[in-house]
Amino acid sequence: MTPDRSTPRRAAARRFSLPRDARWERLQRAVLAAGAAAVVAAVLRQAGFFAQASDLAMLLGPLGIALMAAALPVRARAPDVLRWDGAQWWWQQAGEPLAVTPDVFIDIERWMLLRLNPAVAADGATRRGRQPVRWVAASRGALGAQWTLLRLHLFLARG
């Protein structure tokens, strides 16, 4: 006799403490600094300031700035909390929790990039007004024993 599997599986309520991933923050900082430096270099070159500079020199400037930005220390912060209450996902930084719908944007087994969208109420309006989308990097090394549970909950728990 086969067991009845007609009822959908529901993930139990769980709380995940997500420490900030220093490598992810350094990568974001480096990309932002390189982009800003490239824009400034392009504008200055167009204005005639670097007319004699080679293309290689124009590339090395933003690259050097990106490396310097990535080398700066990452400030330690309190871990953020992602919580599943059995019906809804909640994201809490410093302050009031925000109802979210997490999407796994990138999953490479040891590292995930999550996009946390503001939850949409039954009437189609987002809760607490228009909140920005939040991006969160989670890694197996930072989460330790919670890693497998977080992955299971993200794929089984639909808010």
Side-chain angles (χ1 to χ4, degrees), residues 18-33 66 68-80 91 93 111 113 135-139:
L18 300 174
R20 302 277 174 132
D21 188 345
R23 291 176 293 186
W24 174 246
E25 291 203 17
R26 284 188 171 110
L27 176 67
Q28 289 180 69
R29 188 185 306 154
V31 169
L32 181 63
M68 286 190 305
L72 293 173
V74 175
R75 183 175 47 142
R77 294 187 220 174
D80 300 326
W91 173 251
Q93 285 180 304
W111 185 85
L113 181 60
W135 294 90
V136 178
S139 66

Side-chain angles (χ1 to χ4, degrees), residues 93-148:
Q93 285 180 304
E96 187 177 339
L98 171 68
V100 296
T101 304
D103 293 324
V104 178
F105 197 71
I106 298 174
D107 180 8
I108 54 174
E109 299 288 326
R110 296 182 161 281
W111 185 85
M112 283 191 299
L113 181 60
L114 305 175
R115 180 176 59 198
L116 303 179
N117 302 309
V120 178
D123 60 359
T126 57
R127 298 180 188 170
R128 287 186 52 206
R130 180 75 179 125
Q131 294 289 330
V133 172
R134 299 170 195 274
W135 294 90
V136 178
S139 66
R140 176 180 286 194
L143 284 168
Q146 288 188 326
W147 178 251
T148 304

Side-chain angles (χ1 to χ4, degrees), residues 12-82:
R14 187 75 67 179
R15 176 186 167 106
F16 301 98
S17 178
L18 300 174
R20 302 277 174 132
D21 188 345
R23 291 176 293 186
W24 174 246
E25 291 203 17
R26 284 188 171 110
L27 176 67
Q28 289 180 69
R29 188 185 306 154
V31 169
L32 181 63
V39 167
V40 169
V43 167
L44 290 176
R45 187 170 193 174
Q46 191 68 23
F49 287 101
F50 296 122
Q52 302 301 322
S54 69
D55 291 336
L56 179 63
M58 294 304 290
L59 271 173
L60 291 179
L63 181 63
I65 290 174
L67 290 174
M68 286 190 305
L72 293 173
V74 175
R75 183 175 47 142
R77 294 187 220 174
D80 300 326
V81 175
L82 184 61

